[in-house]
Structures are given as C-alpha cells and as structure tokens.
Amino acid sequence: MSEAEAVSRFVNDGDTVYAGFTHVSFALTFEIIRQGINNLKVVGASNTLTANFLALAGCCNRIETGYMGGLLYNGPIGEMMRDGRIRYEDYSNLTITLRFMAGALGMPFIPSNTFLGTDYLTTGLAHEFDLRNDRIDDDGNSHPRLHVIDSPFDGKPIALLSPIQPDVALIHVQRADETGNIQAWGPLADTKWAVAASKHIIATAEEIVPTSVIKSQPELTIAPAFRVNAVVHAPWGSHPGPLSGRLMRDRTFFELVGNPFTSWENAESFIADWIMGPKSRAEYVAQYSDRFGEDMLEQQRVTRPLLPERPAEQGWR
Amino acid sequence: MSSEASANVSGNGQLDYNPIDMLCIAAAREVHNDDAVLVGMGPPLLVCALAKQIHAPGMTYVTESGPIDWVLDPEHQAPIQIAEAKLAEGAAMLGDMIDALGVIVMGGRATAAVLQSAQIDRLGNMNTMVIGDYTKFKRRLPGTGGHADSGASAGRVISTVPFESRRFRERVDFRTTAGYIDGPGGRVNAGLNLQGPNVCVTTACIFTFDTPDGGETGSCEMTLDGLFPGVSVEDITSQIPWDLRVSDNVHAIPHPTTEELEMLNLLDRNFVHRVPGRYR
C-alpha cells in the first residue's frame, strides 16, 4: 500500500491520532498534510514535531501531550497556543502512557499519583483553551479531565485519569511483513501501549521482510497482523528523526532548510518545499539526495549496529 | 586522554572551570553508588554519567523512554536526549515508559531522580511548564515530560537550577512537580510518600530542605547549606526573593578534582549540556 492510500483510507477529519515519541512516521505525517485532513487531535507522550508540523499546516487544532520540545514557543506554535487556534491539555509522559494502557485494556479509568499536590489539579485542570468539549457525555455534561478520590482500599487521595483510544496510530517501524505484522525495537517509550489502544494502526516500515523473519524473533512484534490496517514500505520514514539501529537524528536538516518552527515564513516555505513538493517518502529522499548529496543522507545511517551476541532461541522437543 | 578533555590550570594554580561545571560536579556527588536514578532531560544526563564514571559505578541509570541500567559507550560521551540511539547500546534492559516511569518510578523503586527545573520555590516545588500565568503565558516551556512523575514518587530529588534570581520564587508560576507542596505534612495530605533528603544544586551553591523526615515535620523550607568556592552567603541571600533560611554551618563545597573535571570535559566535549553563554 502507498502512503497516500493508507492515509486516505484510515485517517479522517476530526480523528484523534497517535504520533510517536521514539518511532515517529514523518512519512505519514507529511502525507496527512498533503491530503489536507483537518481538525485532528494529536495525542502522545512527547509528540513534539509531529503535532507541531500538523498544527503549522492547519491539520491539527488539539494536542494532548506530556512534552512539546524546546524552542518552539516563541514562533508560530506559541502564537497559536496563545490565541486558541491550538487547544491543548498538558499531561506527563507517564500519565499519557497510562491513559493509553487504560484504553488498550478497555478500562474506564486508571489511577496515578503524578498530579497530586500540583497545579494540574487547579489551574491546569480547566483553562480557557482546554478540551472540555471533547469530554461531553450522553447527558451533555462535560467532565473534568481527572478526578481525585480517596482510594476505597487505603483511604488515601489518588487521581483517576481517563482512557485514550486513538482513532489511528501512526508509526514508523524497523520492519514488517506483507501480512501486517510489525516489529519495533529500541527504547519504546509509549509506543507499545499507544498502538495497543488504537482503533486503527498504520505503519511505515524501513524494511519489508518475509514472515519467516518475523517469526524467528516474535518477541519484537508490537502488533500482530490482525490488528494492523496498513503497512507502507517507506525507507527513511522517520527522517529527520531517528530510528533505533538504523538512522540517527539529522541534526543539521532544519538549519539547512530553515527551521520551520521559528517563523511563519519558514513554515510556509518548508511545507511547500519538503511536504507538498515530494509526493511520497521516496520522492522526499530523492529530493534530499539531489539537494545535499547522497553522502549527506548516508551520514544519518547507523554505522555500527549492535547485533545479538547470542540470539534468544525458541524451540520445542 | 585527548588534549581537548584535559582540565586547564589557570595562572594561580587552580583548576579552570565554570559555574556550570561546578553545578554538574556538585550534583554528581549527590548520587550514590547504590541508587536507582531516574535521569531527567538536559544536564542531569551529564550529571549522572559523571557520577557513574567517578564514584558511583554501581548506580542504576534509568531514562524514561525505557533504557534501564545503562552504561557509557566506549567513546565516553554523555547522552544528549532521553530517547536517543546511544541509550540502546549498553543498557541491561530496554523497556518502555511503563517499565521506567511506571514500574521503577511510580512503583517507588527509584531511590532518586535528578531533574532540571526552570523555577523552584521556597518549599521545593518545581516548574517546567510556563513563565507567567498558565494560559496568558509570558513564555511557554516544553511541559513536564517525566518531571512530575518523578517528583511524585522518587525517593529523593536532586534538582539542578542555574543560580539566577528569576528562577527562585516564593511560589513557582506553575507547580508542575510536587516538592513539599504547602509545607510539613503537605505530601502525605496530598496522597504522596515522604521524600528526601532533597537537594537543589545551583551554579553557586547547594540548598537542602529543612525537614528531618522527608516532609512530615520541620519547616520544609529551602536552606542554604553549601557554597561554591568564592561565593559568599550574601551573594546568595541577596538574590533570593524571600527571607532565606541559612544553615548554622554552611560548608564550603570543595573545588572539582582534576579527575572530575577531566571526565566532565570528556563526557560533554561538544558542550551540548554546558552551552557556552547560557549559564553565568
């Protein structure tokens, strides 16, 4: 399947989309922008760049996250957070992941002590640009984003968080097979629980491998084929971000092309040149090679992959 | 050892170092060999790498994206971020956020957390969220990451805060992370475990908190406890916007050793964490 087909089939206006922390698919993010999908809510523990790209392009108007990287707030993103074009709620990396866990397990809430004694319980709980309209129940009541109760077991205060079930998870994985098994490794952050919680899963993969390869290391599978809606072969799909064992973060890219988060002018030029211009990840990579040379691209590749000294055997007798 | 990593000696025979070097070294000395530490973004990555190389090789280095019990690669460079590829090599366990921030931190198994904060207040509460009012912010900061999670549950918190008057507040602009909240009993009333002894290491001094039992009794107030070489009590109290408690026996923090400074310069030889011009 192509990026264009995967996105047009499984991402819709108004969806809640999960964007990764460690396994980020910029291939799919950019395709969403090309298709002009809008009113998205982006959720994830630290989904900095994806949420911000989608917001800059007018595709995302709501963000729930634990962290949105540095140096972005004096530019267009800060402007949109001040005037309400982006509505947002702050959580933490753990609480977002716990909410995915609740969503994955089909639980109505999950407890956490993270926000006890903090301003998340006061000013952070309801603010002018929060997402109260996303929490209206069948009777028309908007619920607060968390409840502090006394535990029925020990009587101590504890905060209950709501579950998240994203409409669609967007991720970039190291490898997948044609049936849709996806394998990801390296630090996983919130990836596994977010994918597990999502109604649809679409993945770009660095490599498509035979199913026998998947089955030789099944412990690396983060979602089995029946849960996965689309797999797209898209090498360099995480660029300019990293992918464990394959690609390093491209630390000079934004300097070379003009950091899109520092001004609207840069944002518009980046979107025109690097998102709307190339029609697929393959064209994006070709454009990168044309502009900066094949060598520059190769410099992002991991040169000393760490291989298992002794693979973990499976077997029977 | 390469020349770029060697410690310089100035004209008077003293080692040549900056306040941010001293912050990293003094904070590292607070990390114990038997600690399991949740290592926060920014300078804490360097602080804990230094501690591990110098005096705490047995410390368990945990970052929130999932690497657990990580040791330095042969190139001896501290990680730049909490989710970078480097952390996959040398980790004894590569889990996820639930393993790290959930099982180890929220589960009460992290004996310490090292956290950088934009602001800290009289009672040790921290802010990483916003400067000014929450929605009408003067300056928006990235948010918490694992900071609030760690402050809630870590056994003790070692916070690093550059010594600038604006960062020390009677009450932080937004309480992202619980310290001693509103004073003695605050943590338990809120539903949190006791915590401490907490310390705040700056670019000029070390503060402790006035509580013998992790927040149950005592005033829980920030207390000047140690001074970096060349810094006076007045240098500190004049910059703190409340009547700062000063310990009866403020001690002098020893200069960096040659070993500490050389290792620090090796671990951060590209000045990723000690950005020139960023710290006084």
Side-chain angles (χ1 to χ4, degrees):
Chain A
M1 199 179 288
S2 66
E3 290 131 273
E5 190 186 351
V7 167
S8 72
R9 281 182 60 186
F10 298 107
V11 187
N12 298 301
D13 287 355
D15 274 358
T16 294
V17 302
Y18 165 73
F21 177 157
T22 55
H23 292 72
V24 183
S25 180
F26 284 107
L28 293 171
T29 308
F30 289 5
E31 180 58 32
I32 287 172
I33 293 171
R34 282 194 287 276
Q35 294 191 18
I37 295 168
N38 55 42
N39 295 320
L40 296 176
K41 170 152 77 173
V42 182
V43 294
S46 293
N47 54 18
T48 308
L49 287 183
T50 324
N52 288 324
F53 268 126
L54 291 170
L56 282 182
C59 300
C60 155
N61 57 7
R62 291 162 297 157
I63 298 174
E64 285 184 44
T65 188
Y67 189 89
M68 291 193 278
L71 305 176
L72 308 179
Y73 299 104
N74 297 321
I77 298 294
E79 192 183 308
M80 288 191 283
M81 290 173 77
R82 281 173 210 272
D83 68 18
R85 271 178 286 168
I86 299 177
R87 290 190 294 125
Y88 60 95
E89 285 179 352
D90 288 297
Y91 287 85
S92 69
N93 282 346
L94 177 61
T95 49
I96 286 278
T97 313
L98 289 170
R99 294 178 65 206
F100 286 137
M101 185 185 253
L105 299 175
M107 292 292 108
F109 57 80
I110 191 161
S112 164
N113 66 0
T114 292
F115 298 134
L116 300 175
T118 74
D119 286 340
Y120 286 94
L121 299 186
T122 53
T123 49
L125 191 57
H127 63 82
E128 190 181 355
F129 301 132
D130 71 8
L131 302 175
R132 74 192 70 183
N133 292 336
D134 292 0
R135 289 191 300 269
I136 296 175
D137 67 16
D138 294 344
D139 299 324
N141 301 312
S142 177
H143 286 269
R145 54 196 283 212
L146 52 83
H147 291 273
V148 178
I149 63 157
D150 290 336
S151 163
F153 291 100
D154 66 11
K156 292 181 187 168
I158 191 76
L160 306 184
L161 307 166
S162 63
I164 310 178
Q165 288 186 339
D167 294 299
V168 57
L170 313 171
I171 56 165
H172 185 65
V173 298
Q174 282 94 340
R175 66 193 185 201
D177 68 12
E178 299 214 334
T179 71
N181 292 301
I182 54 176
Q183 295 196 325
W185 57 85
L188 284 170
D190 59 343
T191 309
K192 197 173 63 176
W193 289 105
V195 164
S198 294
K199 294 168 191 160
H200 298 93
I201 300 163
I202 60 179
T204 47
E206 205 57 27
E207 195 181 359
I208 303 293
V209 296
T211 299
S212 62
V213 173
I214 299 286
K215 296 200 167 182
S216 73
Q217 270 185 294
E219 68 274 20
L220 300 178
T221 303
I222 61 162
F226 87 95
R227 289 279 289 118
V228 178
N229 299 89
V231 166
V232 179
H233 185 215
W236 301 92
S238 65
H239 186 273
L243 183 67
S244 268
R246 305 294 172 99
L247 307 173
M248 300 300 289
R249 185 183 305 280
D250 186 343
R251 294 190 181 281
T252 56
F253 182 58
F254 287 150
E255 278 171 44
L256 289 171
V257 300
N259 190 323
F261 302 109
T262 53
S263 71
W264 281 110
E265 194 187 349
N266 279 6
E268 280 156 20
S269 126
F270 185 91
I271 291 169
D273 196 9
W274 290 95
I275 300 181
M276 303 309 285
K279 301 300 178 203
S280 66
R281 185 65 11 170
E283 287 186 24
Y284 168 101
V285 171
Q287 177 167 315
Y288 187 105
S289 295
D290 284 351
R291 301 271 180 93
F292 307 120
E294 196 89 27
D295 288 358
M296 178 91 171
L297 196 61
E298 284 305 312
Q299 277 173 28
Q300 319 305 332
R301 203 187 287 282
V302 168
T303 51
R304 42 168 216 193
L306 186 70
L307 297 171
E309 217 165 274
R310 187 189 296 197
E313 56 276 69
Q314 317 279 350
W316 69 94
R317 59 164 290 167
Chain B
M1 185 142 309
S2 65
S3 60
E4 63 188 343
S6 64
N8 294 319
V9 178
S10 65
N12 60 8
Q14 295 287 329
L15 287 173
D16 188 12
Y17 62 89
N18 297 318
I20 184 63
D21 300 336
M22 190 69 234
L23 175 147
C24 293
I25 289 165
R29 290 171 183 163
E30 299 290 331
V31 175
H32 307 154
N33 191 49
D34 58 356
D35 272 333
V37 185
L38 188 287
V39 183
M41 275 287 278
L45 290 162
L46 174 60
V47 166
C48 293
L50 179 65
K52 203 160 171 63
Q53 292 305 99
I54 298 290
H55 65 274
M59 176 264 270
T60 303
Y61 191 114
V62 181
T63 64
E64 62 202 77
S65 63
I68 292 167
D69 199 5
W70 176 80
V71 296
L72 293 175
D73 70 20
E75 290 175 9
H76 282 226
Q77 283 202 64
I80 296 168
Q81 296 189 319
I82 47 127
E84 71 181 56
K86 177 176 288 179
L87 289 163
E89 183 174 347
M93 174 172 171
L94 210 46
D96 67 3
M97 218 151 238
I98 295 295
D99 295 308
L101 283 179
V103 175
I104 294 182
V105 176
M106 192 163 88
R109 298 170 180 95
T111 57
V114 184
L115 305 171
Q116 173 98 339
S117 303
Q119 293 180 335
I120 187 163
D121 69 21
R122 190 170 183 160
L123 293 164
N125 303 301
M126 290 161 277
N127 175 19
T128 63
M129 186 66 74
V130 69
I131 303 300
D133 181 73
Y134 184 65
T135 47
K136 302 294 177 205
F137 51 84
K138 274 192 222 150
R139 196 164 152 250
R140 171 71 207 206
L141 307 173
T144 185
H147 204 284
D149 306 312
S150 304
S153 303
R156 63 185 206 283
V157 169
I158 300 161
S159 52
T160 60
V161 184
F163 191 72
E164 294 166 320
S165 188
R166 63 191 167 94
R167 299 182 182 278
F168 293 82
R169 307 298 296 262
E170 175 91 36
R171 190 198 191 288
V172 286
D173 292 353
F174 185 93
R175 194 190 287 156
T176 312
T177 303
Y180 295 111
I181 310 177
D182 53 2
R187 287 187 66 89
V188 170
N189 290 340
L192 299 174
N193 289 334
L194 297 172
Q195 181 180 74
N198 288 356
V199 296
C200 172
V201 183
T202 77
T203 43
C205 62
I206 293 181
F207 297 108
T208 55
F209 291 86
D210 175 38
T211 174
D213 48 19
E216 192 78 322
T217 64
S219 69
C220 297
E221 283 191 29
M222 183 180 281
T223 305
L224 178 59
D225 188 67
L227 290 166
F228 288 4
V231 179
S232 71
V233 172
E234 293 68 36
D235 290 339
I236 304 302
T237 54
S238 66
Q239 298 297 308
I240 299 293
W242 67 85
D243 188 12
L244 179 70
R245 286 182 61 93
V246 178
S247 165
D248 292 339
N249 41 7
V250 175
H251 66 282
I253 311 284
H255 285 283
T257 65
T258 306
E259 187 194 12
E260 286 171 330
L261 198 55
E262 284 184 349
M263 183 53 71
L264 186 72
N265 288 335
L266 183 68
L267 291 170
D268 187 33
R269 56 181 171 267
N270 298 325
F271 295 92
V272 173
H273 294 297
R274 301 167 299 162
V275 180
R278 184 147 154 201
Y279 304 102
R280 292 188 301 160

